[in-house]
Amino acid sequence: DGGITQSPKYLFRKEGQNVTLSCEQNLNHDAMYWYRQDPGQGLRLIYYSQIVNDFQKGDIAEGYSVSREKKESFPLTVTSAQKNPTAFYLCASSIFVGQETQYFGPGTRLLVL
Amino acid sequence: GQQLNQSPQSMFIQEGEDVSMNCTSSSIFNTWLWYKQEPGEGPVLLIALYKAGELTSNGRLTAQFGITRKDSFLNISASIPSDVGIYFCAGGTTSGTYKYIFGTGTRLKVLA
């Protein structure tokens, strides 16, 4: 089945630790996105990538980093510089960046110990 | 920055009732998307709207792209228990690189 997978479902981070969230898609989409979801707020864009080896900062990129070495994969690293990392992280993809619908993965919940 | 106001924030309805929710903004959007999210899961696309005035249905769901391009509406007819979830709107804008602005969600609970 075509779709977007995210792993792990739950992730625990210790103070000062970097953690990486995985996102894989087999939809052959060029564009991929990372969003952060907090209770009572709309999704906020962290980073997006229009094509392999390219990525751009979204609205709340500070404390996060990404890479796009393969079309299918867009991992997100939450660094120790992100002081409030507890949230639900959603990965999405679309055919390309533009007036195209975005399809979401199942999400990863990050908790700080 | 651009913002979307989604209302109501939450709704408790009886099974069989119709539901209406909307998103409004002071900004113009080129696309409206409606998603449903269940607890601990990612949003699932329900309806996509690309043209002002467009009215689109998906089963018991009907959504409209407001004629002013600043709002959109979602209606659910004859609600059933599995309609429970959070419904999000997203407006697509060409401000800079094309991106979507998301509403804060309408939490729907259906009482059997």
Side-chain angles (χ1 to χ4, degrees), chain A residues 49-108:
Chain A
S49 168
Q50 299 190 67
I51 200 167
V52 174
N53 293 323
D54 168 82
F55 49 83
Q56 306 293 331
K57 292 182 179 179
D59 299 319
I60 56 165
E62 186 175 350
Y64 300 98
S65 66
V66 293
S67 63
R68 186 86 186 276
E69 297 177 2
K70 297 187 299 182
K71 186 175 185 177
E72 304 79 23
S73 178
F74 191 39
L76 173 74
T77 297
V78 183
T79 74
S80 57
Q82 172 50 244
K83 297 307 179 189
N84 183 24
T86 297
F88 193 49
Y89 290 88
L90 288 161
C91 178
S93 71
S94 62
I95 295 174
F96 51 82
V97 172
Q99 198 177 9
E100 293 292 329
T101 52
Q102 295 183 10
Y103 298 91
F104 286 85
T108 292

Coordinates of all heavy atoms in Angstrom, one line a residue, chain A residues 49-108:
Chain A
S49 N 10.7 20.4 2.2 CA 11.6 20.1 1.2 C 10.9 19.9 -0.1 O 9.9 19.2 -0.2 CB 12.4 18.8 1.5 OG 13.1 18.3 0.4
Q50 N 11.4 20.7 -1.1 CA 10.7 20.6 -2.4 C 11.3 19.5 -3.3 O 10.6 19.0 -4.2 CB 10.9 21.9 -3.2 CG 10.3 23.1 -2.4 CD 10.3 24.4 -3.3 OE1 9.6 24.4 -4.3 NE2 11.1 25.4 -2.9
I51 N 12.5 19.1 -3.0 CA 13.1 18.1 -3.8 C 14.4 17.5 -3.1 O 14.8 18.1 -2.1 CB 13.6 18.7 -5.2 CG1 13.8 17.7 -6.2 CG2 14.8 19.6 -5.0 CD1 13.9 18.2 -7.6
V52 N 14.9 16.4 -3.5 CA 16.1 15.8 -2.9 C 17.2 16.9 -2.8 O 17.4 17.7 -3.7 CB 16.5 14.6 -3.7 CG1 17.8 14.1 -3.1 CG2 15.5 13.5 -3.6
N53 N 17.9 16.8 -1.6 CA 19.0 17.7 -1.3 C 18.6 19.2 -1.2 O 19.5 20.0 -1.2 CB 20.1 17.6 -2.4 CG 20.8 16.2 -2.3 OD1 20.9 15.6 -1.2 ND2 21.1 15.6 -3.5
D54 N 17.3 19.4 -1.0 CA 16.9 20.8 -0.8 C 15.9 20.8 0.4 O 15.1 19.9 0.5 CB 16.1 21.3 -2.0 CG 15.4 22.6 -1.7 OD1 16.0 23.7 -1.7 OD2 14.2 22.5 -1.4
F55 N 16.0 21.8 1.3 CA 15.0 22.0 2.3 C 15.0 23.5 2.7 O 16.0 24.2 2.6 CB 15.3 21.1 3.5 CG 16.7 21.0 4.0 CD1 17.1 22.0 4.9 CD2 17.5 20.0 3.7 CE1 18.4 22.0 5.4 CE2 18.8 20.0 4.2 CZ 19.3 20.9 5.1
Q56 N 13.9 23.9 3.2 CA 13.7 25.3 3.6 C 13.1 25.4 5.0 O 12.3 24.5 5.4 CB 12.8 26.0 2.7 CG 13.2 25.9 1.2 CD 14.4 26.7 0.9 OE1 14.8 27.6 1.6 NE2 15.2 26.2 -0.1
K57 N 13.4 26.4 5.8 CA 12.9 26.6 7.1 C 11.4 27.0 7.0 O 11.0 27.8 6.1 CB 13.6 27.7 7.8 CG 15.0 27.3 8.2 CD 15.7 28.4 9.0 CE 17.1 28.0 9.4 NZ 17.8 29.1 10.2
G58 N 10.6 26.5 7.9 CA 9.2 26.9 8.0 C 9.1 28.0 9.0 O 10.0 28.8 9.3
D59 N 8.0 28.0 9.7 CA 7.7 29.1 10.7 C 8.4 29.0 12.0 O 8.6 29.9 12.8 CB 6.2 29.3 10.9 CG 5.5 29.6 9.6 OD1 6.0 30.4 8.8 OD2 4.4 29.0 9.4
I60 N 8.7 27.7 12.4 CA 9.3 27.5 13.7 C 10.5 26.5 13.7 O 10.6 25.5 14.4 CB 8.2 26.9 14.7 CG1 7.6 25.6 14.1 CG2 7.1 27.9 15.0 CD1 6.8 24.8 15.2
A61 N 11.5 26.8 12.8 CA 12.6 25.9 12.6 C 13.6 25.9 13.7 O 14.5 25.0 13.7 CB 13.2 26.3 11.3
E62 N 13.7 26.9 14.6 CA 14.7 27.0 15.6 C 14.7 25.8 16.5 O 13.7 25.4 17.0 CB 14.6 28.2 16.4 CG 15.7 28.5 17.4 CD 15.6 29.8 18.1 OE1 14.8 30.6 17.7 OE2 16.4 30.0 19.1
G63 N 15.9 25.1 16.6 CA 16.0 24.0 17.5 C 15.8 22.6 16.8 O 15.8 21.6 17.4
Y64 N 15.5 22.7 15.4 CA 15.3 21.5 14.6 C 16.2 21.5 13.5 O 16.7 22.6 13.0 CB 13.8 21.5 14.1 CG 12.8 21.5 15.1 CD1 12.1 22.7 15.5 CD2 12.3 20.4 15.7 CE1 11.1 22.7 16.4 CE2 11.3 20.4 16.7 CZ 10.7 21.6 17.0 OH 9.7 21.6 18.0
S65 N 16.5 20.3 12.9 CA 17.3 20.2 11.7 C 16.7 19.0 10.9 O 16.1 18.1 11.4 CB 18.8 20.0 12.0 OG 19.0 18.7 12.6
V66 N 16.9 19.1 9.6 CA 16.4 18.0 8.7 C 17.5 17.7 7.6 O 18.5 18.4 7.5 CB 15.1 18.5 8.0 CG1 14.0 18.6 8.9 CG2 15.4 19.7 7.1
S67 N 17.3 16.6 6.9 CA 18.1 16.3 5.7 C 17.1 15.6 4.7 O 16.1 15.1 5.1 CB 19.2 15.3 6.1 OG 18.7 14.1 6.6
R68 N 17.5 15.7 3.5 CA 16.7 15.0 2.4 C 17.7 14.4 1.4 O 17.9 14.9 0.3 CB 15.8 16.1 1.7 CG 14.8 15.4 0.7 CD 13.6 15.0 1.3 NE 12.7 14.2 0.4 CZ 11.9 14.8 -0.4 NH1 11.8 16.1 -0.5 NH2 11.1 14.1 -1.2
E69 N 18.3 13.3 1.8 CA 19.3 12.6 0.9 C 18.6 11.7 0.0 O 19.2 11.3 -1.1 CB 20.2 11.8 1.8 CG 21.1 12.8 2.7 CD 22.0 12.0 3.6 OE1 22.0 10.8 3.6 OE2 22.7 12.6 4.5
K70 N 17.4 11.2 0.3 CA 16.6 10.4 -0.6 C 15.2 10.9 -0.8 O 14.7 11.6 0.1 CB 16.5 9.0 0.0 CG 17.8 8.3 0.1 CD 17.6 6.8 0.5 CE 16.9 6.7 1.9 NZ 16.7 5.3 2.3
K71 N 14.6 10.7 -1.9 CA 13.3 11.2 -2.2 C 12.3 10.7 -1.2 O 11.3 11.3 -0.8 CB 12.8 10.8 -3.6 CG 11.5 11.4 -4.1 CD 11.3 11.0 -5.5 CE 10.0 11.7 -6.1 NZ 9.8 11.4 -7.5
E72 N 12.5 9.4 -0.8 CA 11.5 8.7 0.1 C 11.6 9.1 1.6 O 10.7 8.9 2.3 CB 11.7 7.2 0.0 CG 11.6 6.6 -1.4 CD 12.9 6.8 -2.1 OE1 14.0 7.0 -1.5 OE2 12.9 6.8 -3.4
S73 N 12.7 9.8 2.0 CA 13.0 10.0 3.4 C 13.2 11.4 3.8 O 14.0 12.1 3.1 CB 14.2 9.1 3.7 OG 14.5 9.2 5.1
F74 N 12.7 11.8 4.9 CA 12.9 13.2 5.4 C 12.9 13.2 6.9 O 12.0 13.6 7.6 CB 11.7 14.1 4.9 CG 11.9 15.6 5.0 CD1 13.1 16.2 4.8 CD2 10.7 16.3 5.4 CE1 13.2 17.6 4.9 CE2 10.9 17.7 5.5 CZ 12.1 18.3 5.3
P75 N 14.0 12.8 7.5 CA 14.1 12.7 8.9 C 14.2 14.1 9.6 O 14.9 15.0 9.0 CB 15.4 11.9 9.2 CG 16.2 12.1 7.9 CD 15.2 12.2 6.8
L76 N 13.7 14.2 10.8 CA 13.7 15.4 11.6 C 14.5 15.2 12.8 O 14.2 14.2 13.6 CB 12.3 15.9 11.9 CG 12.1 17.0 12.9 CD1 12.5 18.4 12.2 CD2 10.7 17.1 13.5
T77 N 15.5 16.0 13.1 CA 16.2 15.9 14.4 C 15.8 17.1 15.3 O 15.8 18.2 14.9 CB 17.7 16.0 14.2 OG1 18.1 14.8 13.4 CG2 18.5 16.0 15.5
V78 N 15.4 16.7 16.5 CA 15.0 17.7 17.5 C 16.3 17.8 18.4 O 16.7 16.9 19.1 CB 13.9 17.2 18.4 CG1 13.5 18.3 19.4 CG2 12.7 16.8 17.5
T79 N 16.9 19.0 18.3 CA 18.2 19.2 19.0 C 18.0 19.7 20.4 O 16.9 20.1 20.8 CB 19.1 20.2 18.2 OG1 18.6 21.5 18.5 CG2 19.1 19.9 16.7
S80 N 19.1 19.7 21.2 CA 19.0 20.1 22.6 C 18.7 21.6 22.6 O 18.3 22.1 23.7 CB 20.3 19.8 23.3 OG 21.4 20.4 22.6
A81 N 18.8 22.3 21.5 CA 18.5 23.8 21.5 C 17.0 24.0 21.5 O 16.5 25.1 21.8 CB 19.1 24.4 20.3
Q82 N 16.2 23.0 21.2 CA 14.7 23.1 21.3 C 14.3 22.9 22.7 O 14.3 21.8 23.3 CB 14.1 22.1 20.4 CG 12.6 22.0 20.5 CD 11.9 23.4 20.4 OE1 11.2 23.8 21.3 NE2 12.0 24.0 19.2
K83 N 13.9 24.0 23.4 CA 13.7 24.0 24.8 C 12.3 23.5 25.2 O 12.1 23.1 26.4 CB 13.9 25.5 25.4 CG 15.3 26.0 25.2 CD 16.3 25.1 25.8 CE 17.7 25.6 25.6 NZ 18.7 24.6 25.9
N84 N 11.4 23.4 24.3 CA 10.1 22.9 24.6 C 9.7 21.9 23.5 O 8.8 22.2 22.7 CB 9.1 24.1 24.6 CG 7.7 23.6 25.0 OD1 7.5 22.6 25.7 ND2 6.7 24.4 24.6
P85 N 10.3 20.7 23.5 CA 10.1 19.8 22.4 C 8.9 18.9 22.6 O 8.5 18.2 21.6 CB 11.4 18.9 22.5 CG 11.7 18.9 23.9 CD 11.4 20.3 24.4
T86 N 8.2 18.9 23.7 CA 7.1 18.0 23.9 C 6.0 18.4 23.0 O 5.4 19.5 23.1 CB 6.6 18.0 25.4 OG1 7.7 17.6 26.2 CG2 5.4 17.2 25.6
A87 N 5.6 17.5 22.1 CA 4.5 17.8 21.1 C 4.3 16.6 20.3 O 5.0 15.6 20.4 CB 5.0 19.0 20.2
F88 N 3.3 16.7 19.4 CA 3.0 15.6 18.4 C 3.5 16.1 17.1 O 3.2 17.2 16.6 CB 1.5 15.4 18.4 CG 1.0 14.2 17.6 CD1 1.5 13.0 17.9 CD2 0.0 14.3 16.7 CE1 1.1 11.8 17.3 CE2 -0.5 13.2 16.0 CZ 0.1 11.9 16.3
Y89 N 4.4 15.3 16.5 CA 5.1 15.7 15.2 C 4.5 14.9 14.1 O 4.4 13.7 14.1 CB 6.6 15.4 15.3 CG 7.3 16.4 16.3 CD1 7.3 16.1 17.7 CD2 7.8 17.6 15.9 CE1 7.9 17.0 18.6 CE2 8.4 18.5 16.8 CZ 8.4 18.2 18.1 OH 9.0 19.0 19.0
L90 N 4.1 15.7 13.0 CA 3.5 15.1 11.9 C 4.3 15.4 10.6 O 4.7 16.5 10.4 CB 2.1 15.7 11.7 CG 1.0 15.3 12.7 CD1 -0.1 16.2 12.8 CD2 0.6 13.9 12.4
C91 N 4.5 14.3 9.8 CA 5.2 14.4 8.6 C 4.1 14.4 7.5 O 3.1 13.7 7.6 CB 6.1 13.3 8.4 SG 7.0 13.2 6.9
A92 N 4.3 15.1 6.4 CA 3.4 15.1 5.3 C 4.1 15.1 4.0 O 5.3 15.5 3.9 CB 2.4 16.3 5.4
S93 N 3.4 14.8 2.9 CA 4.0 14.9 1.6 C 3.0 15.3 0.6 O 1.8 15.2 0.8 CB 4.6 13.5 1.2 OG 3.6 12.6 0.9
S94 N 3.5 15.8 -0.5 CA 2.6 16.2 -1.6 C 3.4 16.0 -2.9 O 4.6 15.9 -2.9 CB 2.1 17.7 -1.5 OG 3.2 18.6 -1.6
I95 N 2.6 16.0 -4.1 CA 3.3 15.8 -5.3 C 4.4 16.8 -5.5 O 5.5 16.4 -5.9 CB 2.3 15.8 -6.5 CG1 1.3 14.7 -6.3 CG2 3.0 15.7 -7.8 CD1 0.1 14.8 -7.3
F96 N 4.1 18.0 -5.3 CA 5.2 19.1 -5.3 C 4.7 20.2 -4.4 O 3.5 20.2 -3.9 CB 5.5 19.6 -6.7 CG 4.3 20.0 -7.5 CD1 3.7 21.3 -7.3 CD2 3.7 19.2 -8.4 CE1 2.6 21.7 -8.1 CE2 2.6 19.6 -9.2 CZ 2.1 20.8 -9.0
V97 N 5.5 21.2 -4.1 CA 5.1 22.3 -3.3 C 4.3 23.2 -4.2 O 4.7 23.7 -5.2 CB 6.3 23.1 -2.7 CG1 5.9 24.4 -2.1 CG2 7.1 22.2 -1.7
G98 N 3.1 23.5 -3.7 CA 2.2 24.3 -4.5 C 0.8 24.0 -4.2 O 0.5 23.5 -3.1
Q99 N -0.2 24.2 -5.1 CA -1.6 24.0 -4.8 C -1.9 22.5 -4.9 O -2.7 22.1 -5.7 CB -2.4 24.8 -5.8 CG -3.8 25.0 -5.3 CD -4.6 25.9 -6.3 OE1 -4.2 26.2 -7.4 NE2 -5.8 26.3 -5.9
E100 N -1.2 21.8 -4.1 CA -1.4 20.3 -4.0 C -1.8 19.9 -2.6 O -1.3 20.4 -1.7 CB -0.2 19.6 -4.5 CG 0.2 19.8 -5.9 CD -0.7 19.1 -6.9 OE1 -1.3 18.1 -6.5 OE2 -0.9 19.6 -8.0
T101 N -2.7 18.9 -2.5 CA -3.1 18.5 -1.2 C -1.9 17.7 -0.5 O -1.1 17.1 -1.2 CB -4.3 17.5 -1.3 OG1 -4.0 16.5 -2.3 CG2 -5.5 18.2 -1.8
Q102 N -1.9 17.9 0.8 CA -0.8 17.3 1.6 C -1.4 16.1 2.3 O -2.5 16.1 2.8 CB -0.3 18.2 2.6 CG 0.5 19.4 1.9 CD 1.1 20.4 2.9 OE1 1.2 20.1 4.1 NE2 1.6 21.5 2.4
Y103 N -0.7 15.0 2.3 CA -1.1 13.7 2.9 C -0.2 13.5 4.1 O 1.0 13.6 4.0 CB -1.1 12.6 2.0 CG -2.0 12.8 0.8 CD1 -1.6 13.4 -0.4 CD2 -3.3 12.4 0.9 CE1 -2.4 13.6 -1.4 CE2 -4.2 12.6 -0.2 CZ -3.7 13.2 -1.3 OH -4.6 13.4 -2.4
F104 N -0.8 13.1 5.3 CA -0.1 13.0 6.5 C 0.2 11.6 6.9 O -0.5 10.7 6.6 CB -0.9 13.7 7.6 CG -0.9 15.2 7.6 CD1 -1.8 15.9 6.8 CD2 0.0 15.9 8.3 CE1 -1.8 17.3 6.7 CE2 0.1 17.3 8.2 CZ -0.9 18.0 7.4
G105 N 1.3 11.5 7.7 CA 1.7 10.2 8.3 C 0.9 10.1 9.7 O 0.2 11.0 10.0
P106 N 1.1 9.0 10.4 CA 0.4 8.8 11.7 C 0.9 9.6 12.9 O 0.3 9.6 13.9 CB 0.6 7.3 11.9 CG 1.8 7.0 11.2 CD 1.9 7.9 10.0
G107 N 2.1 10.2 12.7 CA 2.6 11.0 13.8 C 3.5 10.3 14.8 O 3.5 9.1 14.9
T108 N 4.4 11.1 15.4 CA 5.2 10.7 16.5 C 5.0 11.6 17.7 O 5.1 12.9 17.5 CB 6.7 10.7 16.1 OG1 7.0 9.7 15.1 CG2 7.6 10.5 17.3

